[in-house]
Amino acid sequence: MNKQVIVRFAPSPTGYLHIGGARTAIFNWLYAQKTGGKLVLRIEDTDVERSTEESIKGIIEGLKWLGISWDEGPYFQSQFIEDHKAAAQRLLESGHAYRCFCTKEVLEQKREEAYKKKTDVQYDGTCRKLPKEEVEKNIEKGLPFTIRLKVPEGNGAVRFSDIVYGDIEKKYRDIEDFVILRSNGQPLYVLSNAVDDIRDGITHIIRGQDGLANTPKQILIYQALGVPLPKFAHMPLTLDSKKAKISKRKHGEIVAVHFYREHGFLPWALVNFLALLGWSTVDSRQIFSKEELLDAFSLEGVNRSNSVFEIRRDDPKFFTDPKALAINSHYIKTLPLEELAPYVKIELEKAKIWDEAYETEKRDWYLQTLDLIRSRYHVTTDFITLGRAYFSDDYDLDPKALEKNVLKHEDLKEWLPLIAERLDKLDEYSLEETERVIREVAEELTVKPGVLINGIRTVVTGQAVGPGLFDVLMAIGRDRVVARLRKTPILWGQVYS
Ligand code: GLU
């Protein structure tokens, strides 16, 4: 029987959870779920200067919001420093590592020489050859030392097969005897990371492509410690449309998970979008439920070529990748209303236009209205911008719509209040009756019904486009429609009395 899969997401808490990190988390989570394995969350907080509590909180909140659950942790790397030191000690004792007494100045000199020789191998192994007596003398004298791993000599190479990048080899002679413990006793990240993975029993290391640079060294650590190697799967980089690497520094908040939460993304829509960065099905399908994603996803299917995250800053309608917006829009349009409702509630509450009755006696109205207006929306914030007039009397009129559909037709100043009166007097305020009234008035005034319809829509909803007008009139309700139409002359700067 195969061993249970154990994967981990190991973010460094030096900033917010960004889309690249979230994608790595998603791939780990999918793989664990798919194989009946476990996901460990390990916060790599050993870089004390750059790690912050706020970042830890942000990462955990971001994962929870996305719906990514883990089975173990969060563990904190800083709690295991003693383990890392002990591993260095074991390597020293087993002869796989050695003490290096070279001073800063000496190392600097070696670095310069290496630079001149155009080689990456800066350390030439001077202390590897120190006789035992000399080592002991140095220790006695209290000379500071680092601990370096002995990279095997000769023509061999570290070889491994990455699930995504295939066969990779790095020649021993191109890897220097690297430091695993500093002279102040602190372990280096490359050691801590490997020791933690060994302790946590990680079977598959799924991480960003930038981790590839550390992999040969980590494999040497595994081998020196005499433990079996995990499998590696490095995820391709995500680039922007100009082929620059996506980064917090360059792109700012737009690459942060919280940005999507604040800008009206549904968590599953973002997971669905991120899961497709670097991977696709043959038919380039875009919409996946959780079950479908679990079914279709495989690490072997991840593409080697870099994925593109398109940011179009020039068009505010596309404040982020158009594919991400299209996917989010799909979910807004198709989610069962009871599932969508809580997300819209968050927006209405933020805008301070939430009514508790939407949970009770106005529940049906609330759900029907969401259903009526959602078909054109991309983000849940559209409900409080484009859809604000359904939930509040305090809404703005889109200036272009106002100009084109209202102000240009001065007669509407009288016509719309007239319609208000007719609607007010109707015995039955219904789809058929409101339509009849408006067509009737159009005939009486010998004006095209479209002029009245566009004018009414703009005044009553603030928007030029939307669902069928008579449905809109039903949703907004007689009293509010009448009041809004009566106030039309105000739009010309006059007060109607
Ligand atoms: N802590 C590393 C990072 O946030 C990840 C290292 C790894 O996954 O091995 O980039």
Side-chain angles (χ1 to χ4, degrees), residues 252-264:
E253 301 271 302
I254 204 163
V255 301
V257 167
H258 68 81
F259 177 91
Y260 293 86
R261 184 177 183 171
E262 284 153 20
H263 284 77

Side-chain angles (χ1 to χ4, degrees), residues 8 10-12 44 189 193 207:
R8 79 324 189 251
S12 303
E44 300 205 310
Y189 173 73
N193 180 271
R207 62 182 172 196

Side-chain angles (χ1 to χ4, degrees), residues 370-477:
L370 300 192
D371 199 24
L372 177 69
I373 62 183
R374 65 176 168 170
S375 68
R376 289 167 187 271
Y377 293 175
H378 287 90
V379 279
T380 55
T381 47
D382 286 341
F383 287 92
I384 56 160
T385 53
L386 307 176
R388 190 176 166 99
Y390 292 86
F391 307 99
S392 166
D393 291 326
D394 178 16
Y395 58 95
D396 290 330
L397 273 65
D398 172 61
K400 273 197 205 134
L402 175 63
E403 182 57 39
K404 177 165 169 258
N405 294 338
V406 185
L407 299 183
K408 250 176 62 189
H409 307 274
E410 195 140 8
D411 289 336
L412 287 175
K413 205 191 289 182
E414 271 117 48
W415 296 346
L416 296 193
L418 173 71
I419 291 174
E421 298 322 312
R422 300 269 178 103
L423 292 176
D424 196 29
K425 285 201 199 81
L426 273 180
D427 285 339
E428 193 202 343
Y429 182 80
S430 63
L431 274 179
E432 298 73 24
E433 285 296 282
T434 49
E435 176 163 7
R436 189 183 55 74
V437 162
I438 289 161
R439 298 209 183 275
E440 204 175 79
V441 173
E443 224 161 276
E444 280 171 32
L445 300 171
T446 56
V447 53
K448 281 195 201 129
V451 173
L452 297 181
I453 288 175
N454 289 337
I456 296 172
R457 183 198 306 285
T458 304
V459 168
V460 168
T461 69
Q463 302 294 318
V465 289
L469 181 71
F470 308 107
D471 290 313
V472 170
L473 296 184
M474 291 304 112
I476 293 185

